[in-house]
Amino acid sequence: MKKVLPWETFKNILKDKNILIGVTGGIAIYKVLSLVSSLVKEGANLKIIMTPDSQKFVSKMTFTSVGNCEVFTDPFEFEASIPHTTLSSWADVLVIAPATANTIAKIANGFADNLLTMTVLAFQKKKILVPAMNTRMYENPATLENIEKLRKLGWIILEPEEGRLACGDIGKGRYPENEKVLEVIKDCFIEREKVDNLPAIVTAGPTLEWIDTVRYISNPSSGKMGFAIAKELAKRGFEVSLISGPTHLTPYENLKEFVSIETADEMYREVLKRFEKTSLLVMTAAVADFKPAVRQTHKLKKENLEELSIKLVKNPDILKEISKIKKEQIVVGFAAESEDLLKNAKKKLEEKKLDLIVANDISRKDIGFSSDYNEVKFIYSNGKVEEIERSSKEYIAYVIGNKLVDIFNAKL
Ligand code: PMT
């Protein structure tokens, strides 16, 4: 059995990468200290440029200590080398965080009045901007226009989040979670092939099968696996329709659409509606196999009831129905197994005429349902089997994304 890249490879993607952080003078600067600390833990080589105003918020010494790296502030402080050209050649990626409206305006208009703006002008590789400021400043047409201009010039822009700001205002302008920033930085180092806007359907989460108006039958699917796959596919150029049962998750912003359903019947209808025109279907959802024969239209009374029997009838097997109309589409199923993982998953692969089934052991508490982790075996229709050791669902989705791109590129 071939082992796929271990989790460590993904985790270490920033190891020995040269990352230049540009820090400007906004209150979110204290969050950037924690970003710097995470980058150090990931093994990145860091250099930091602080603008003059940023040093009024946090000292150069703090960044030097947290980043365990050189921190530059003055374009004229070195005699041996010219700092802005040296730094811009050294770095693989430049991240400006937090990026104030002032610095954004300067770089959008080609100013070079401090070491950071000078370095930006000379920098020709991947550039990430993390704007963070007061809502009114962010929503000012001048700022939005400057950001749009930078986006068109190739900057990767991390949208600020909405919420309560340091000044007490509520609105858009908050510095995003550092995990998001880290992910965008990692993305710069992942070489991915892309597909050209192929439609894809991903299902996720549980289904709810209603007994009455307040009670239902369901399962512990959190949607994490399916949401992660939808995101990875969207990043690779698929136009993703994510059809999901109830979860607490926020779908990735660049999906084609997010369709919220409750029951297996609703999921079936939504998949069917789109299937003919899709190129890919990934069924990650934990679809309930049975539903109550009757859905009561009122809350069942418990008084005078010692026991209650509910008649269950079968839900549609979405993948089985799909196998009857499948043409050129690639169809991927998941197999949730508690014993004989390979044997049972192979049976499902054949019965549902799948191209690939991803089998996971749902009897373990440290993977599968609700966990942030999973451990999977890939079983292909040609009999090939591969496995990924216990890894984050994010990483497993990343590998699945790569595999699906390979399958489509081989088909073309
Ligand atoms: O959501 P998480 O908390 O992240 O957990 C992820 C997961 C454990 C739910 C996921 O990794 C997983 O295993 N999904 C499949 C769950 C399942 O229903 O497995 P199954 O072996 O019962 O079904 C096999 C396949 O048939 C699945 O692709 C399923 O979506 C599909 N199916 C099942 C029943 C049904 N009526 N129609 C279907 O199409």
Side-chain angles (χ1 to χ4, degrees):
M1 196 184 299
K2 190 185 157 206
K3 291 211 167 164
V4 185
L5 291 170
W7 159 242
E8 288 308 316
T9 312
F10 185 58
K11 206 174 163 194
N12 292 343
I13 201 151
L14 296 180
K15 189 155 173 23
D16 296 329
K17 299 295 186 313
N18 295 343
I19 299 172
L20 181 61
I21 310 282
V23 183
T24 74
I27 191 65
I29 193 168
Y30 73 96
K31 294 187 178 168
V32 178
L33 285 167
S34 132
L35 174 70
V36 166
S37 161
S38 301
L39 288 167
V40 171
K41 284 188 202 130
E42 298 267 350
N45 301 323
L46 294 183
K47 291 189 197 290
I48 296 172
I49 299 177
M50 296 183 76
T51 60
D53 281 351
S54 72
Q55 296 161 64
K56 294 176 189 156
F57 289 82
V58 172
S59 75
K60 177 176 171 177
M61 197 184 74
T62 311
F63 271 103
T64 310
S65 313
V66 175
N68 192 20
C69 65
E70 287 177 285
V71 177
F72 303 84
T73 52
D74 182 350
F76 308 106
E77 72 190 325
F78 297 93
E79 280 165 18
S81 63
I82 307 166
H84 63 286
T85 51
T86 314
L87 287 169
S88 53
S89 313
W90 170 84
D92 301 312
V93 168
L94 164 67
V95 186
I96 304 192
T100 56
N102 184 41
T103 294
I104 291 170
K106 286 185 191 175
I107 55 182
N109 290 288
F111 278 56
D113 64 342
N114 62 39
L115 181 57
L116 180 60
T117 50
M118 286 165 80
T119 307
V120 167
L121 268 189
F123 192 81
Q124 291 177 323
K125 284 168 263 175
K126 290 197 173 160
K127 296 170 282 198
I128 301 170
L129 195 73
V130 193
M133 65 199 75
N134 168 273
T135 308
R136 279 168 282 135
M137 292 173 82
Y138 177 72
E139 287 175 351
N140 187 300
T143 307
L144 291 177
E145 206 178 300
N146 287 331
I147 292 177
E148 204 36 48
K149 187 170 172 189
L150 290 176
R151 200 191 305 276
K152 286 190 184 135
L153 288 172
W155 282 78
I156 300 162
I157 314 282
L158 248 119
E159 291 284 317
E161 289 177 358
E162 287 196 25
R164 197 183 152 78
L165 304 166
C167 56
D169 282 3
I170 295 181
K172 202 164 176 180
R174 262 164 70 112
Y175 181 88
E177 294 296 318
N178 271 324
E179 273 144 42
K180 266 196 188 167
V181 185
L182 258 181
E183 195 186 315
V184 174
I185 298 174
K186 282 182 184 174
D187 265 5
C188 293
F189 295 100
I190 297 173
E191 292 303 329
R192 283 176 176 147
E193 283 188 86
K194 287 199 165 188
V195 298
D196 203 5
N197 301 329
L198 292 178
I201 305 167
V202 179
T203 67
T207 64
L208 311 188
E209 309 301 334
W210 292 93
I211 298 167
D212 63 14
T213 49
V214 291
R215 302 178 179 96
Y216 55 76
I217 299 169
S218 191
N219 61 63
S221 170
S222 61
K224 287 176 191 168
M225 194 67 253
F227 275 55
I229 293 172
K231 178 176 176 178
E232 287 298 329
L233 292 178
K235 284 184 176 180
R236 286 165 176 73
F238 286 95
E239 286 184 349
V240 179
S241 299
L242 173 59
I243 302 172
S244 175
T247 73
H248 297 291
L249 306 175
T250 309
Y252 179 57
E253 53 263 37
N254 290 335
L255 301 179
K256 181 182 169 215
E257 58 177 342
F258 176 68
V259 183
S260 174
I261 56 90
E262 284 187 342
T263 65
D265 282 320
E266 287 166 8
M267 182 171 277
Y268 178 40
R269 267 200 302 277
E270 295 300 335
V271 170
L272 206 59
K273 236 191 255 175
R274 294 164 179 80
F275 186 72
E276 200 191 324
K277 294 216 169 97
T278 202
S279 302
L280 168 67
L281 166 64
V282 185
M283 280 289 298
T284 319
V287 186
D289 291 312
F290 293 93
K291 64 182 171 193
V294 179
R295 177 176 175 172
Q296 304 293 337
T297 52
H298 58 277
K299 185 183 169 198
L300 284 170
K301 293 270 175 236
K302 60 178 179 293
E303 288 80 15
N304 306 324
L305 267 183
E306 283 314 310
E307 56 181 50
L308 173 66
S309 299
I310 297 165
K311 184 177 170 195
L312 300 179
V313 293
K314 258 196 153 165
N315 262 327
D317 185 322
I318 303 175
L319 279 178
K320 232 179 195 164
E321 295 304 318
I322 287 296
S323 73
K324 297 176 193 161
I325 53 167
K326 175 179 177 242
K327 291 190 181 120
E328 291 293 301
Q329 297 93 337
I330 297 289
V331 180
V332 180
F334 267 72
E337 305 298 341
S338 49
E339 53 196 344
D340 284 338
L341 189 75
L342 270 181
K343 193 171 141 224
N344 289 331
K346 275 183 183 159
K347 200 164 158 235
K348 285 178 186 166
L349 174 92
E350 282 158 21
E351 277 174 6
K352 301 188 184 210
K353 296 196 175 64
L354 304 173
D355 297 285
L356 165 66
I357 195 156
V358 185
N360 46 198
D361 182 344
I362 45 138
S363 65
R364 282 171 55 182
K365 284 269 169 285
D366 63 334
I367 57 167
F369 276 121
S370 295
S371 168
D372 286 340
Y373 296 86
N374 213 347
E375 183 173 299
V376 298
K377 287 190 172 40
F378 296 108
I379 306 153
Y380 295 85
S381 50
N382 64 6
K384 193 168 102 178
V385 179
E386 296 172 335
E387 70 171 350
I388 310 185
E389 296 164 0
R390 183 176 180 273
S391 312
S392 75
K393 284 182 177 169
E394 184 196 27
Y395 174 67
I396 289 175
Y398 165 77
V399 175
I400 291 174
N402 284 348
K403 285 187 179 305
L404 289 169
V405 170
D406 288 348
I407 289 173
F408 277 97
N409 286 340
K411 254 179 84 169
L412 295 174

